Amino acid sequence: MNKLTKKLTAVLTSTLLLATAAWASEAPAPAVKTEQVKQTKLSPSANLLGTVYSRSNIAITAGVNGQLTWLVEPGTFVSKGDVLVKMDTLPLELMQLEQQAQIKREKINIGYLKRELQRLEALKANNNAAEFQLDQTKSKYELAMADLEIAELKLKQIHDQLARAEISAPFSGVITERLEREGSDVNRSQVLLRMLDTENLQVRMFVPVRYMPYLNNKSQLQVFNEQYQTIARIQAIIPAADQRSQSFELRLELDADSVSHWTAGQLVKVEIPVQADQETLAIHRDALILRKNQTYVMKIDKQNIAHKMTVNVGQGQGDWVAIEGELSEGDRVAVRGAERLRDGQKVNVQSKS
């Protein structure tokens, strides 16, 4: 009985091994995606910190003395031209009516003096009026004309004050702070609100002077944080170095399509070139397989066979890094699915889409 059991066990084991071998030979080749090794120019870079600023962060001030009747709430997004502040205009409206009455009075006086002047000129022509009386009336007429001009200028000033009693948004943005409440009496130029432009953002940062030769106003740099990255154009290089830090200010303009991902005051990282361009072989970062004792890639030959290739990694720029090793321009390396591959294993190369 024991001999029979041993024979059955041996048969079953052999059958299982044969089935496993057959299954392994029929297993589908693992799928990978590849990128070509390329000969290119890379700019060695460093990631420096910058801060997002709004190009317009202003205080909204009172245009006239008076009492506040309404202010927009903090946190409100407004468009250019929207009303932000309203003031009590009754005192100004009364001044306007008074000045209009004064102008009417001046015009009546001018009409009387004009007729009197015409009468005296007619009498003077017939030698029936004194020269002194004519000159006196003419002076009164000219003074009345000047008084009318002054009164009309005062009316324009009142109109200007009435226009300033209602403050509109100078640009589209958000109200970040309110410093006064409705019913408060305020003076002209007193700060009422603070407003931030959320559509025109820039990054400001300080860069070591030694990196200045590698930057110009046509450069575009990568700006990123943990959630988002974008490309920003250099808006201004301010070549005035701080004596202590030996750094200069750099300003980058954030694209309008990306401003929704940033907020003023936010810290970001900017990739800055720190050396001149270098001609080198480069591969996509995703192709690198990092191990404790070595770094390697899986090269895929024309027969779709994987080969383990050890590489030395150099400087990087964006998604690409310089490498040294037994690779050539145009070689394919796996960037997806490479970590589980074995040297000499057959693979199924998928398209990049």
Side-chain angles (χ1 to χ4, degrees):
M1 190 68 178
N2 289 337
K3 291 182 178 180
L4 180 61
T5 302
K6 290 180 180 179
K7 288 182 179 181
L8 289 173
T9 301
V11 170
L12 289 173
T13 302
S14 300
T15 303
L16 181 61
L17 290 173
L18 290 172
T20 302
W23 176 83
S25 64
E26 296 175 0
V32 298
K33 291 185 179 181
T34 64
E35 283 280 359
Q36 286 189 338
V37 179
K38 65 180 182 180
Q39 186 80 20
T40 186
K41 288 184 178 181
L42 292 184
S43 301
S45 60
N47 295 333
L48 303 182
L49 284 178
T51 305
V52 178
Y53 282 84
S54 171
R55 296 186 65 181
S56 298
N57 186 1
I58 66 170
I60 303 296
T61 59
V64 294
N65 300 335
Q67 187 180 70
L68 297 172
T69 59
W70 181 82
L71 291 88
V72 68
E73 292 290 330
T76 303
F77 284 87
V78 295
S79 299
K80 183 178 180 180
D82 288 351
V83 176
L84 305 180
V85 178
K86 291 181 181 180
M87 301 187 69
D88 183 12
T89 58
L90 180 59
L92 290 173
E93 291 170 358
L94 294 175
M95 290 173 61
Q96 182 184 47
L97 292 173
E98 181 183 5
Q99 197 61 32
Q100 288 172 344
Q102 183 65 33
I103 290 173
K104 185 176 180 180
R105 179 188 176 98
E106 295 291 345
K107 288 181 178 180
I108 292 172
N109 187 39
I110 287 172
Y112 165 74
L113 291 173
K114 183 177 182 180
R115 291 191 299 270
E116 183 67 12
L117 183 60
Q118 290 173 345
R119 185 180 69 82
L120 291 174
E121 286 176 343
L123 291 173
K124 181 66 173 60
N126 296 322
N127 294 320
N128 292 327
E131 185 74 26
F132 172 76
Q133 187 178 11
L134 179 61
D135 289 344
Q136 188 179 44
T137 304
K138 187 175 182 180
S139 296
K140 288 182 180 180
Y141 175 76
E142 291 174 350
L143 286 172
M145 290 293 294
D147 288 342
L148 176 62
E149 185 176 354
I150 292 171
E152 288 176 339
L153 288 173
K154 287 183 178 180
L155 183 60
K156 288 182 179 180
Q157 291 175 350
I158 295 171
H159 287 161
D160 178 65
Q161 289 179 307
L162 281 168
R164 292 173 181 269
E166 185 174 278
I167 303 174
S168 300
F171 50 80
S172 297
V174 63
I175 303 302
T176 59
E177 187 178 5
R178 180 178 61 189
L179 287 82
E180 299 293 340
R181 301 287 301 185
E182 293 88 346
S184 301
D185 288 324
V186 296
N187 298 319
R188 184 178 179 182
S189 300
Q190 186 171 336
V191 178
L192 307 178
L193 304 167
R194 294 194 182 278
M195 184 176 176
L196 179 74
D197 184 355
T198 57
E199 296 182 359
N200 295 286
L201 301 179
Q202 60 182 201
V203 175
R204 299 179 190 176
M205 60 187 302
F206 287 90
V207 179
V209 173
R210 64 181 180 274
Y211 300 152
M212 184 181 285
Y214 313 119
L215 297 168
N216 59 67
N217 287 329
K218 295 181 180 179
S219 300
Q220 293 185 329
L221 305 179
Q222 186 174 12
V223 179
F224 60 96
N225 58 15
E226 294 179 355
Q227 293 78 34
Y228 185 75
Q229 66 178 22
T230 187
I231 299 297
R233 180 182 62 84
I234 291 182
Q235 183 184 54
I237 297 174
I238 303 176
D242 180 84
Q243 292 183 353
R244 293 185 178 181
S245 65
Q246 285 297 290
S247 61
F248 66 95
E249 187 177 359
L250 181 67
R251 298 187 179 186
L252 307 172
E253 184 178 8
L254 291 172
D255 187 82
D257 295 334
S258 69
V259 295
S260 61
H261 298 277
W262 314 108
T263 182
Q266 181 179 7
L267 289 177
V268 295
K269 291 182 180 180
V270 181
E271 191 175 53
I272 299 291
V274 296
Q275 293 181 22
D277 292 347
Q278 297 177 353
E279 189 76 24
T280 182
L281 278 178
I283 62 172
H284 198 280
R285 289 183 186 273
D286 291 344
L288 296 174
I289 301 173
L290 307 177
R291 294 294 181 261
K292 185 176 181 179
N293 298 323
Q294 65 176 337
T295 299
Y296 65 93
V297 299
M298 298 303 293
K299 174 184 172 182
I300 310 300
D301 65 17
K302 294 181 179 179
Q303 287 74 40
N304 290 343
I305 303 297
H307 301 278
K308 182 178 178 180
M309 310 291 291
T310 302
V311 295
N312 294 320
V313 182
Q315 296 286 344
Q317 182 179 6
D319 291 332
W320 294 85
V321 292
I323 53 99
E324 293 180 356
E326 297 180 7
L327 291 171
S328 302
E329 183 181 7
D331 287 346
R332 297 183 301 169
V333 291
V335 294
R336 292 288 186 274
E339 291 195 352
R340 296 186 179 88
L341 295 181
R342 301 186 306 275
D343 192 27
Q345 187 175 8
K346 181 80 173 180
V347 299
N348 177 24
V349 177
Q350 295 184 336
S351 62
K352 298 179 183 179
S353 59

